[in-house]
Amino acid sequence: QVQVVESGGGLVQPGGSLRLSCAASGSIFSINHMGWFRQAPGKQRELVAVVTSGGRTNYQDSVKGRFTISRDTAKNAVYLQMNSLKPEDTAVYYCHVIGRDWSSRNVEVWGQGTLVTVSS
């Protein structure tokens, strides 16, 4: 089994910063993509940012220039640095991992979610 654990959410004022962390563990052999999605109340889950095994990144337009995704391959970890936060960034943020386990089976795992609230 592969587990994903997130941390770093919380309450922050508009214009503030937060850093989310996510680490995959268990029978994970290789990771292709690691990314962050978010879901606000009453809305569908949406992609925020993703980083591939080759280091390529992709961001949702609304977070470009404010959020930075990074990856530590040795730790099977991914981070999301969020700056200049806005109230519309309020959501539950989910870590998402796509890879293979030691039996060469495709693996897709979601984290449990961490709440980010941007409010004064």
Side-chain angles (χ1 to χ4, degrees):
Q1 274 190 331
V2 178
Q3 298 84 35
V4 170
V5 178
E6 304 139 331
S7 62
L11 173 64
V12 63
Q13 292 185 342
S17 298
L18 280 176
R19 185 176 188 248
L20 305 183
S21 300
C22 169
S25 62
S27 57
I28 189 85
F29 172 70
S30 63
I31 296 177
N32 295 328
H33 291 69
M34 297 188 83
W36 292 93
F37 287 71
R38 68 185 180 187
Q39 187 167 18
K43 295 187 177 181
Q44 289 187 331
R45 191 173 297 188
E46 60 181 9
L47 174 69
V48 177
V50 64
V51 56
T52 69
S53 58
R56 288 189 303 171
T57 59
N58 190 36
Y59 295 91
Q60 181 190 116
D61 285 346
S62 68
V63 308
K64 286 180 180 178
R66 300 188 297 122
F67 291 10
T68 302
I69 190 169
S70 60
R71 180 174 170 177
D72 186 332
T73 303
K75 296 181 178 180
N76 286 335
V78 64
Y79 309 97
L80 186 68
Q81 178 66 43
M82 304 184 293
N83 299 327
S84 301
L85 282 160
K86 304 175 180 180
E88 51 263 43
D89 294 317
T90 296
V92 177
Y93 284 70
Y94 296 91
C95 181
H96 182 241
V97 174
I98 296 177
R100 287 184 179 271
D101 65 13
W102 288 97
S103 299
S104 297
R105 291 175 297 197
N106 293 328
V107 170
E108 180 178 13
V109 184
W110 291 91
Q112 80 283 0
T114 184
L115 178 62
V116 172
T117 303
V118 184
S119 175
S120 54

